[in-house]
Amino acid sequence: MKKPIRYFVVINLFLWMFLYGVCPVSASELQSEEETQEVTAVSESDDYSLKNPPVLLDGKEISYQFVDSTYPTNVQVITTKRNRTLKTVSEGTYMTLKNGSWVIESQVWTEPANTTHQITYTNTSGISLPIPNRDYKVSVTFQNSGKSSYQAAVWDERGIQTKNKTVNPGKTVTVTATVSVIDGNLKLFFIPKTNAYVPENGWANVQVSGISIETITAKTQSAIPTIHIAGDSTAHTRTADVYPREGWGQEFYQCFNNGKLLSVKERWDTQELTSYAEYKTSTLVIKNWAYSGESSSSYWRKGRFDNILNDANPGDYVLVQLGHNDSASSKIEVYSTESEYRENLVTFAKACQTRGIQCIFMSCTPRCVFSGAKLAPTLPTYKSAMRSAASKAGVPFVDINKAIVNYMNTLGKSATQSYYMILKAGQYSNYPFGYHDRSHLNQTGAKKIAQITAVTLKESGVFPAKISSHITAADDYYSDVTLTISQVKVTKTTVKKTTKKAAKKKKNQVRYKVSWKKQNKAKQYVVYQYVESRGTYKKIASTKNNYYTLKKGTTKKQASKIKIKAILNRYY
């Protein structure tokens, strides 16, 4: 058919349809199934619908806003330009409507190429949903009305939350993710997978036909609390193939209930995002989520911290010890400026607080780096940022780094090095040629750091009695000396009133004073009193003096049942 004739026929056909009210109609209802299941065929009609796909919260449609996420045009892994801009807009810049679905044209690329230190950038549009701070199950249905398959994932405002799923032509796929909302707003993005290393090659489309959000029922407090560890390689549970390398989180259970375990469970996910090692005792559970190479940024962006929130119950504890990798400016995918680090930590704390979980910040395990003959503090500026974040968020900060450094400096350089992966050739079969690693711990070091961590947490008062009372044997790791009653002198003493007004109301009080001979190198003395009803000794005080005045009402008999422990080589 010649072109003029073909155009004439087409124009007359549309005129006839318009005059007689005939228009093509395509009605196709899409039903989402389980994640990974492909369901109904998608219409290939080119008609455009004016109605956005439904967004349901617990079965009811809710309102939302569009939001754009953009990075600088030429990022080129310059750390000062890697932060994106999130902007609320009236319509998604990268979105169009087609058959009741969003067609999202995103620009996705990864920099730098050919290295493990990569970060993915996206210029895209999504939606912003004002919903309460809770945990939610989010289901997103992708459809494909094109002729080529594509892969897509669901992200929230921090980063990836689901694995990439393939959507074949003419099919739909529903993917799910559990997301924790902490700021009263959930931002969702729908990201295609590309292999581009430059922005101009990173364009790809996805289609979203529906979103369903379900509120996850709030959890109740468990009878046995769990201590969750959010850390990096210095705490990571290691496998036998790298022995003697261990993380302190691997040995932390040894400091509770004399190290008696009921069970050990390990889970290693293929993407390692839900990996953990669980140590269960009769009084508490320790769940070590620490993983090598992680930072506060990657914990949040990958959804690793979400996994802890989703697993934890009200009344649980989360120990956050991150910073080594945050400070690594050469590792673009984990690096955080001090400001970003502080912001990430505050976010962690808020996420825990809204769920009744106690968040505790701990400064980093020190590297084996010396300044002269003394072990040097590690990452002092990041420690200051963590202290500031703790103050802002209203959570405890425990200076583990200072405790370890002070203790190690009582031992000397050679003894300190024996705790790290500084190995001689032939010393261990896994390292026949030796090894020199000043950041990571060997098994002996992991045990020591776990013990110092447990004692420091106990004496900082961040744990209630139901937990701290089960921290056992930790004091015995410091060559302490227990003074017998024959070495303790008990005398009467008069406590004078400080004001005339107080003296008129009550006479000067007579109390019992216990004293003892100073012990060489003792930094601290702990006073224990025998409790008849328990049949055990109870700690009643700590002092740097070699004497202590017992409280009012203590009898001579009770005063004669005092035990003093002199703490030697302590980390105070």
Side-chain angles (χ1 to χ4, degrees), residues 246-266:
E246 285 189 358
W248 67 262
Q250 192 166 350
E251 298 288 347
F252 197 51
Y253 76 90
Q254 298 272 15
C255 303
F256 296 82
N257 302 295
N258 295 312
K260 294 180 180 178
L261 279 173
L262 297 180
S263 64
V264 177
K265 181 171 70 174
E266 295 182 358

Side-chain angles (χ1 to χ4, degrees), residues 12-73:
N12 275 277
L13 177 62
F14 275 92
L15 265 173
W16 181 84
M17 293 170 64
F18 175 78
L19 290 172
Y20 289 91
V22 179
C23 61
V25 177
S26 171
S28 172
E29 186 126 342
L30 303 176
Q31 297 180 342
S32 62
E33 298 291 337
E34 294 295 323
E35 181 183 32
T36 75
Q37 282 192 340
E38 297 180 352
V39 292
T40 57
V42 178
S43 168
E44 294 187 1
S45 167
D46 288 333
D47 288 346
Y48 284 76
S49 168
L50 297 178
K51 187 176 181 182
N52 285 301
V55 180
L56 305 177
L57 175 61
D58 296 328
K60 296 181 180 179
E61 282 202 46
I62 59 172
S63 60
Y64 52 85
Q65 293 177 298
F66 293 104
V67 61
D68 285 347
S69 171
T70 58
Y71 281 91
T73 305

Side-chain angles (χ1 to χ4, degrees), residues 219-244:
K219 297 179 180 179
T220 57
Q221 187 166 335
S222 175
I224 298 179
T226 298
I227 298 175
H228 303 264
I229 301 172
D232 52 33
S233 57
T234 59
H236 184 184
T237 295
R238 309 300 306 193
T239 51
D241 60 315
V242 294
Y243 177 82

Side-chain angles (χ1 to χ4, degrees), residues 404-425:
I404 297 170
V405 167
N406 287 351
Y407 172 73
M408 294 298 182
N409 281 334
T410 67
L411 304 180
K413 188 172 183 178
S414 178
T416 298
Q417 289 177 332
S418 70
Y419 291 131
Y420 289 81
M421 286 292 290
I422 300 174
L423 313 177
K424 296 178 181 178

Side-chain angles (χ1 to χ4, degrees), residues 164-270:
N164 285 293
K165 292 294 179 183
T166 300
V167 188
N168 291 318
K171 301 291 183 178
T172 66
V173 171
T174 299
V175 298
T176 61
T178 302
V179 176
S180 299
V181 177
I182 63 163
D183 58 358
N185 198 286
L186 172 62
K187 295 180 179 67
L188 292 176
F189 299 97
F190 320 101
I191 310 297
K193 180 183 178 183
T194 73
N195 296 318
Y197 292 113
V198 291
E200 53 267 31
N201 294 340
W203 290 101
N205 289 5
V206 300
Q207 289 178 263
V208 174
S209 60
I211 301 169
S212 176
I213 304 170
E214 297 177 28
T215 302
I216 296 175
T217 304
K219 297 179 180 179
T220 57
Q221 187 166 335
S222 175
I224 298 179
T226 298
I227 298 175
H228 303 264
I229 301 172
D232 52 33
S233 57
T234 59
H236 184 184
T237 295
R238 309 300 306 193
T239 51
D241 60 315
V242 294
Y243 177 82
R245 180 174 169 178
E246 285 189 358
W248 67 262
Q250 192 166 350
E251 298 288 347
F252 197 51
Y253 76 90
Q254 298 272 15
C255 303
F256 296 82
N257 302 295
N258 295 312
K260 294 180 180 178
L261 279 173
L262 297 180
S263 64
V264 177
K265 181 171 70 174
E266 295 182 358
R267 169 181 172 147
W268 305 113
D269 178 76
T270 53

Side-chain angles (χ1 to χ4, degrees), residues 522-560:
K523 300 289 186 180
Q524 191 90 354
Y525 298 95
V526 181
V527 183
Y528 296 86
Q529 186 174 27
Y530 189 76
V531 181
E532 293 281 355
S533 59
R534 296 183 182 180
T536 59
Y537 280 89
K538 176 186 177 183
K539 176 183 172 181
I540 60 171
S542 294
T543 178
K544 293 184 178 180
N545 302 315
N546 64 322
Y547 59 86
Y548 181 73
T549 302
L550 301 173
K551 69 178 184 179
K552 173 189 170 185
T554 303
T555 65
K556 185 176 182 179
K557 181 180 178 182
Q558 291 171 329
S560 66

